[in-house]
Structures are given as structure tokens and as C-alpha cells.
Amino acid sequence: KQWYQRRVRDRKELEKENSPLTEKDENCRYMHLDFIPVTYILPADYNIFVEEFRKNPTSTWIMKPNAKARGIGIFLINKLSQLKKWSRDSRQMGHNPKDTYVISKYIDNPHLIGGKKYDLRLYVLVTSYRPLKAYIYQLGFCRFCTVKYNSAVSELDNMFVHLTNVSIQKHGDDYNDKHGGKWTVHNLQMYLEHTHGKEVTDRLFDEINWIIVHSLKAVQGVMASDKHCFECYGYDVIIDENMKPWLIEVNASPSLTSTTAADRIMKYTLIDDVLKIICPNGEIPDPRWNKVPPKDSMGHFDLLIDEELAAQDQHENKSRSVSGRLPRTRPQQQWK
């Protein structure tokens, strides 16, 4: 919730500054800042949600319980009466009425492969928030549904159609325990380059990186910045049929449970590569050490953003610019 509120405030501040990032399309939607679906927190935002729902009463929304994982308690609605019924049933079952849920507009036009919906799980290592320093893992993966996508109302309760969580899909009749319904991100890139072209694919993944950076910047001011700490996040991203990426959620403790042999190797490698960056050369980490490790020590991580390094480069560029002007000014001063 705090992340979403900060994002709204940042938009307003950028609009006051007439930033090009606030450019809108013909439907008055942000072209660069709309990277998460419209989202509310229930029950606190119920009245605001109802107002938004009534603007487009045919839309579908997805409900997710706060502080739960593996697809537990997730369901879809397309009528307010369904939400009211859920609220009544929850009270009758003795659930705490103060339990919070996240409700987001459902991405009902996902990009499909083989007719099936999928999402991306990407790992991002953050070693510092102020200044921001983050790395992205090359060996992310895609999770596929086992049943072909169908947006019909009759399939609204079929989680094998809508949810990519392996913990749900593995109970489906068509689940393949050899590959676990997963592709590597590299395989996805090759497929998209073949079907949509390299330029479109490169732009898509550049936008995903941009989304990750700006999501981290959105919470930069409220996160504890302790040099002794690090965090490896699991980013879930969905691509729609227009090749637009949407940030669905950020997992602070992504599951490291493996479902296949390839999955186990990848996650062991992930842990090993995290430790290479956190404890360079196997040494005890020094909180004063804030340098980017050499490329051969980063394993399968790539540096995503380093504000300290960027500030140093900017300072050096300014210095070079000034020194570049000196030969032209000195003769004038001497002539005078």
C-alpha cells in the first residue's frame, strides 16, 4: 500500500514539473508511468474501488490476500455482488474482518504462447537503497498455465486458466513434472525475437528494466538503508498482447523451492551468485565496501543501477567539460 501511495505522489510531483514522463495517450492514460494495474487496498479503499468499478462495470478484477503466497486465497470477480458475497461468507467463516486484500484490475489481454497465459519471475538483488544499487539476474524464468486462456465468464473460477503459480498448476491434469511448465527468460527472448523481431523484444526488456528501477526508486525514501543488509526480490511481470509489460507484484521473500532438476540448479546458482556479490572473494563483507564487483565475480547478475557510480561519472564528465574549455580561455586571458 505504501509503495502504491508513493507512486501516486510521484506522479503528481512529475506533473507539476511538466516532466515528459507524464505524457498521455489519446485515452488520457500515462504512456510511461502506467506500469502496474489500477490497484486498491480493501477494506480501506472500498468506496474508491466501487467508484472506479462503476466507470467500467464489465471489467474483471483479481483479489489477493495480503501476506500470503503460492496463489492461496486468490480469486477473480466481475460483479460487485460477488465481492459483497465474499465479505459475508468471510465473516460467517470467522475470518478477521480487518484482514487486508489487494484488488487489482485484471490484465485480460495477456500475450499468449501456444494459447496459454504466462508470466515472468525475475530476481533483483538490492545491496543499497541510498544510494540505490541493484543487480538483475539473467536466469529468470516464465511460468505457464496448463490450460489454454479463455476470458469467458464461465472460466472465471478456473485457476488453471488464470493463475501461473506452480503451486496451483502442479495439481492440474496437464501439468508436466519434467519441465514444470517453465521456460527460461532466454528461451522467451529467442521466441519473441523470432515472432516479433529483435527491436520489439529489446524494447520490451528495456521497459521491464525501467519498471524495476522506478519501482525501487518509488520506495527508496521509506526503506531502511542499512549497509549490513541486502535483499533479493522476486519480480512478477506479465506481458500483454500489445507487448506492454505490467508489474504484478514484488516478492520480498521469493520461494526457493524447486520443482524440477533444472529449477533446483538455477536456484542453487542464484544463491551462490548472490553470495559472490555480498561476500566478494569469500571474505567477510565490509559495510564500508561499496564498489561494484568485477564482472567475473558477479556470476549471472548484471548491474542494473548504481547511483553512486552515476554521480561519479557525472562529476568526471563535468570536470572534463571544464578542462576542455580551458585551452580556449587561457589564450584570451593571456592576450588581455
Side-chain angles (χ1 to χ4, degrees), residues 185-210:
V185 167
H186 178 65
N187 284 346
L188 175 66
Q189 286 177 307
M190 289 195 297
Y191 174 84
L192 293 178
E193 285 181 10
H194 178 72
T195 55
H196 291 79
K198 191 173 189 310
E199 184 180 347
V200 171
T201 304
D202 288 346
R203 184 168 64 247
L204 169 68
F205 280 90
D206 283 345
E207 288 178 2
I208 290 173
N209 289 344
W210 186 91

Side-chain angles (χ1 to χ4, degrees), residues 106 165 318:
Y106 186 60
N165 305 68
K318 274 186 179 179

Side-chain angles (χ1 to χ4, degrees), residues 53-73:
F53 182 90
R54 286 174 175 160
K55 292 178 184 176
N56 190 2
T58 60
S59 57
T60 301
W61 296 74
I62 184 167
M63 287 272 288
K64 304 175 184 180
N66 194 20
K68 288 191 178 179
R70 296 178 288 115
I72 296 172

